[in-house]
Amino acid sequence: MTAVGEQGRKSMMPIGLINALDIQKLQNSFASVAKLFLFCVDADGQRITEMSGPAGEVDRILKLLNEKHLTSVISRVIGNSIEEQVVEDTEFSNIKIASMSVRVEGEPVLSWFICAVFDDYGHTHEQRETAALNFSHITTEQNFYESLKLLRSASLKIYNDKYKALMAKTESVRSKSSEQEMSYALRRSEAMTEVVQMLDSDAGFEKISNDIMTLAGSFVDLSHAYVIRMNPGQTAADVLGMWENTGAVSLLDGVRSMTYEDFIVLSEKTTIISSKSKISEQYRTNMDQHHINALITMPIFINGNIVMYTLFAEGRKPRNWELDEVKFLGDVTKILQSILTRRIQKNSLASSYASLEAILDNVGSGIYVRDMETKEVLFANRIFRNTFEKEIKDGTIDDMLDGGKRARANATYLELHHPTRDRWYDLHYTYIHWVDGRKVSLCAIFDITDKKLYQQKIEQQANNDFLTGLYNRMCCERDLVHYIDEAKQSDQQGALLYLDLDDFKHINDGLGHQYGDVLLKAISHSLQRIDGIENTCYRMGGDEFVIIIPASSYSRFSDIIEEIRIVFNKPWFLKGADYYCTTSMGIVTFPDEGETVQDLIKKADIAMYEAKKSGKNRTAYYAENADSLSNQRLDMEKNMRDATADDYKEFEVYYQPIIDIRKEGTPCTGAEALIRWNSSELGFVNPADFIPLAEYLGLINPIGNYVLREACKACKKWNETGHPYFKVNVNLSVVQLLQNDIVETISSTIKQTGINPRNLTLEVTESLAINDMARMKEILSNIKKLGVRIALDDFGTGYSSLNHIREIPLDVIKVDQSFVTDLAEDQYSQSFIKMVGELATAIGVKICVEGIETHEQFKVLENMNVRLVQGFYFDRPMKREQFEERYAR
């Protein structure tokens, strides 16, 4: 079963792992020790090495052998040939030649050509006459055949070692699937250490057998574990050691009464039967009669003869054995065999040592034994020698092992890091009496690199943001404590920058979350490239970042701020186009403005909000009066949430008339709906204060929908009471417009209120319209299909080109009031409005000028191609009742 498992594990084994140097070393060894002439060819028959042997005699062998004969022998085992080994006579009675193919899973890896000259010239006159004489490189025929077997085994051994080394290297960079596996490996090592300690026990064999079965059964969680002895002709088995799990039905009587015929699983090899194994009905019936669902039996040999067996069974539930369990139980059985061998060969120190070495060479850990008084190295098993070959040769192995550090204060093992290999080991020390009676320290060494990598992965997940790779909030708070202390001790200054991306939600909702993630990663990488803050950038969550400027980098403070501005002044390439995403940044210095983490982050956040409130894409420094403003903001936030939850009763829609100055008497043609908040707690709140907060809190969407609904109701009433052509303008926020259901929301509002869609004008800002032209065209076109009119608000404040204006399905262009302030005197403002009027006429839309406050401004517009105006000169925004009293009676 073990062999099958190994073969299955190698099913993906790469061919060609052994290099020419390994082959040459093996060839030279066999040529020297076995006295053979040989060379190696690859799977295609191409020579890898030249023939080994004494130089003069090699040339002579090649001359004596027929080239065709040699080629024929090799060709019989290479490629897809079914023959794996060929031995043939030659015309010389004392020379034989052979070819042998070394295969893995049926595929040839390499082949050997071997030639042997025997020291026996034959018994007949004819044989002696045809013998090749005067060779010093000679061997016996028995040694020849044994060497063929050994050469095949050695070739496969090298190949398997190379494969295992490759697998070990591959596995070393993988973390284990879970912490449970790490715990299992540690418990396995501790259990195996306890079993190994039994080697030095003076207790009776039955006591040792019971203890070892208890350790093995408990660790693997078996129902039963026995050491049994069966002799041919006996009617019952001898149970020498046993362990039965708590609650498991005892099988002791059944095991003792079993005959050889019952023990169908006892053989010279390990037998493994799982619950799913396919076995004959008779065998399964025998197992069922003894309440066994799965079992493993392993023979114990003494001097080549089976003297007893270990039997591990599971009778409580179905079980399918794992490879690690089988290996562990195999190691336990080998150690039990070693103990028995020591007892039998107690008076033969050399024999005991050889048995011990053979066992410890096959356990799954490195073993190192050292005399406690003289520090003499008494034993190192194969795994240890292979792992620390260089340190053993250099004589530094003891220093390396003594450099291990205790993993925890109460730990029973040491932890060792090998910097050259970048590997980690657990060192378990115990003190035993060696085979010759002296007191020694036995060190069991286990490779725990995978466990360490897993721990590092967990730590990285705990400290790093998964998406961007930046450090997270927890790491930020921890590092900030260090940098504050550093600045205080050095009497220097540092800074904390709090960044919040402006309108990130628009890109995230508009382009999709995957492009939002791309943007966050791009911003993170750009920030990390700024000199002085490469390792002090943190993602606090969502679209918020913190940057710490340590005291060591504070001399570059101004440069760092400028480089951050440059990062956000450039467009980001997303989804095949350029998009702008700016940031609002709050700055606080330490330790002068704060000495605690919470205080500094709070103050930087306050400053950041002030920057966002002042128009976004701004930088604000913390000011002492900001705390009171922060408290006001918190009060405003609480009251705003309460007001929206209370059916928007505190919010009122005001209406500012829109005047047609081309008609006689400059009549009102409708109004723009504007939101106002009359808080029961805070009083009348300025829109410039609460609208940015509503956007920041994500409440602008329900508030905006409320305004749309109330404005449509009002306009419907005006149209039905003598003003059929009155229109109402409603501002659509960025958040509203980017909602996936915005068209359905507008359509539903039109149907619910009954307004004529031609009397509803929806205003969108210029910057919004050009940020994603293709998406805006699609959304606005779908809205237009409802019969609604579209107005481009704040025209002249963005970056739109005339071509973009032509692409948008517009009905009205509204000139921003910033162009009206100096309209009476400023030639540029007059020229701009005149140009926009001509543009509007050319593309078939109307123009509306906002912010008219004086008679002089109004008179200037009379000579321009302007029809619609609004501003304080005509009237201020007012409640609905006032508007209807003045304009819609």
Side-chain angles (χ1 to χ4, degrees), residues 354 598 834:
Q598 291 74 17
K834 184 176 181 180

Side-chain angles (χ1 to χ4, degrees), residues 609 632-651 675-677 679-682 685-703:
Y609 177 72
Q632 293 175 15
R633 172 194 166 191
L634 290 174
D635 289 341
M636 189 185 299
E637 177 180 336
K638 175 184 178 301
N639 283 278
M640 181 179 291
R641 292 188 185 279
D642 293 342
T644 54
D646 192 25
D647 201 24
Y648 310 98
K649 291 178 181 177
E650 294 183 357
F651 291 100
I675 185 69
R676 295 293 184 265
W677 181 22
S679 171
S680 59
E681 296 290 333
L682 305 176
V685 184
N686 193 317
D689 292 329
F690 79 80
I691 289 179
L693 181 61
E695 291 179 341
Y696 183 74
L697 298 176
L699 297 175
I700 196 66
N701 192 51
I703 294 174

Side-chain angles (χ1 to χ4, degrees), residues 278-313:
K278 293 182 180 180
I279 59 176
S280 71
E281 186 175 351
Q282 175 189 351
Y283 295 161
R284 183 61 74 180
T285 300
N286 287 344
M287 290 176 60
D288 291 342
Q289 288 175 351
H290 293 93
H291 308 288
I292 298 175
N293 296 315
L295 62 81
I296 297 175
T297 62
M298 298 179 175
I300 297 177
F301 295 86
I302 297 296
N303 297 327
N305 298 314
I306 299 176
V307 294
M308 57 187 69
Y309 294 87
T310 52
L311 188 152
F312 307 99

Side-chain angles (χ1 to χ4, degrees), residues 5-17 104-105 107 159 163 166-167 170 174:
E6 285 292 315
Q7 185 175 1
R9 189 170 60 82
K10 298 173 187 173
S11 59
M12 297 302 291
M13 183 181 290
I15 303 301
L17 286 176
V104 177
E105 299 183 34
E107 293 293 329
Y159 192 93
Y163 172 76
L166 176 63
M167 290 303 293
T170 303
R174 297 181 185 167

